[in-house]
Amino acid sequence: MPLLDDVLGCWSPGLSVASFTLPDLSRRGNPSVAQNPGSGGMRSAWTWNGNSSATIFLDGNTQHFRNTRPTLITSAGSAGRAFTVTTWIVSTGRSGLFRTIWSTGVNNPGNSPVFEFGVSSSNVIYFYGRQPNFISSSISIALNTAYFLAVGIEAGGSGTVSAGLNGAFSSIGTTNANDGQTCTDEFIGTDGTISGSDKSWFQGHIGETTSFNRLLTLSEIREIYRRGNGASGRQLTGQPPRLPPSDAVREKQTVPQLAGCVMTVRERVCVPDPHDTEHDP
């Protein structure tokens, strides 16, 4: 599993969003704030394998979330940074239109994002980034179906982009080794940078979303999916990454989470994973 130090931000609707803010469970002080929430709020739920799980619901019109500051910071012309973003999604509308799930871009309508991913007009996962590269995958998304989605890119080099659903994770193409622009903004549920009718709003449910500072491995993606839902059917919204139970790290305080796990750092202790039934005595 990834270490806490690998996590740049983790936003979970499992905690209250009555104030229209998704708390940052990575404890880096970077909440994601609802834009155009309306009077009814944006908290919702989706039943997955018999479990009702907390989500945010975006109307596909103007609703989205904006991170207080971008986590995937890049500078124009610099060697591209590695990253991975994982999230849980249910697309409920706008089929045949682009639906951006995550975008790191520039705060200037009309400019292209530094990079983004989402569902294309062909209903497949796409990646756009490190200008001017657009990658359309063969990974299909159906409406009203819940998926765990992971998208990542290696640092510099050939700029290999990987993506997959429900624990899969493999190359979908390559892009530039250098970043084309300096990012100044970050969004969940919209491209955030294209003005007018070209806005690619996401319509549907989004669960816990996490950004990492490196390209995760296939085994790590599988384990996050397994702990979130894959093998156990526990929660639609996944759990923030935890250290292996044999060598866990925690602080004196704990962070309230869906699964009640500990994500703090001060002393090394052995923290048994209450959900790990594979190693029970």
Side-chain angles (χ1 to χ4, degrees):
M1 287 288 288
L3 302 180
L4 181 57
D5 287 345
D6 299 326
V7 180
L8 297 172
C10 179
W11 303 275
S12 176
L15 300 178
S16 173
V17 293
S19 61
F20 307 113
T21 298
L22 295 177
D24 178 10
L25 299 188
S26 73
R27 300 180 67 87
R28 298 183 187 275
N30 186 17
S32 195
V33 181
Q35 309 295 308
N36 306 310
S39 59
M42 297 164 70
R43 186 170 183 175
S44 186
W46 183 264
T47 300
W48 171 263
N49 287 354
N51 295 327
S52 180
S53 303
T55 65
I56 56 173
F57 183 83
L58 306 179
D59 64 4
N61 186 12
T62 61
Q63 292 180 345
H64 62 287
F65 278 77
R66 179 179 181 179
N67 294 345
T68 304
R69 61 181 182 275
T71 58
L72 307 179
I73 299 173
T74 66
S75 297
S78 64
R81 285 183 54 182
F83 69 85
T84 306
V85 177
T86 63
T87 187
W88 299 79
I89 62 166
V90 182
S91 179
T92 62
R94 290 177 58 85
S95 180
L97 298 173
F98 275 81
R99 289 148 279 165
T100 299
I101 297 167
W102 173 282
S103 176
T104 297
V106 293
N107 186 18
N108 185 0
N111 284 341
S112 299
V114 179
F115 37 73
E116 70 175 40
F117 65 84
V119 185
S120 76
S121 57
S122 301
N123 298 315
V124 297
I125 295 299
Y126 75 88
F127 177 91
Y128 180 95
R130 295 185 181 170
Q131 284 189 304
N133 289 270
F134 177 86
I135 299 172
S136 180
S137 75
S138 59
I139 303 171
S140 297
I141 296 289
L143 291 181
N144 301 308
T145 303
Y147 299 98
F148 170 72
L149 171 64
V151 177
I153 190 170
E154 67 177 4
S158 63
T160 298
V161 179
S162 296
L165 300 175
N166 300 342
F169 197 58
S170 60
S171 172
I172 60 171
T174 59
T175 184
N176 289 337
N178 293 330
D179 290 309
Q181 299 186 67
T182 299
C183 67
T184 56
D185 252 319
E186 203 162 74
F187 303 91
I188 299 173
T190 182
D191 56 73
T193 59
I194 308 300
S195 60
S197 60
D198 291 331
K199 296 286 284 187
S200 54
W201 307 104
F202 184 84
Q203 181 176 338
H205 299 265
I206 296 181
E208 187 173 279
T209 302
T210 308
S211 65
F212 301 87
N213 62 9
R214 62 182 175 85
L215 182 65
L216 299 187
T217 66
L218 173 60
S219 61
E220 288 172 325
I221 294 296
R222 286 174 173 170
E223 182 64 7
I224 294 172
Y225 173 60
R226 184 190 73 84
R227 287 174 183 246
N229 193 306
S232 61
R234 282 191 298 272
Q235 294 288 342
L236 169 64
T237 49
Q239 304 168 35
R242 292 172 288 175
L243 298 177
S246 61
D247 192 20
V249 174
R250 75 180 181 189
E251 228 175 51
K252 308 235 177 183
Q253 292 181 321
T254 62
V255 183
Q257 297 165 22
L258 286 177
C261 53
V262 175
M263 264 184 70
T264 49
V265 261
R266 279 288 181 274
E267 52 181 315
R268 283 199 172 275
V269 293
C270 178
V271 183
D273 183 350
H275 301 297
D276 187 357
T277 58
E278 298 177 4
H279 300 92
D280 287 345

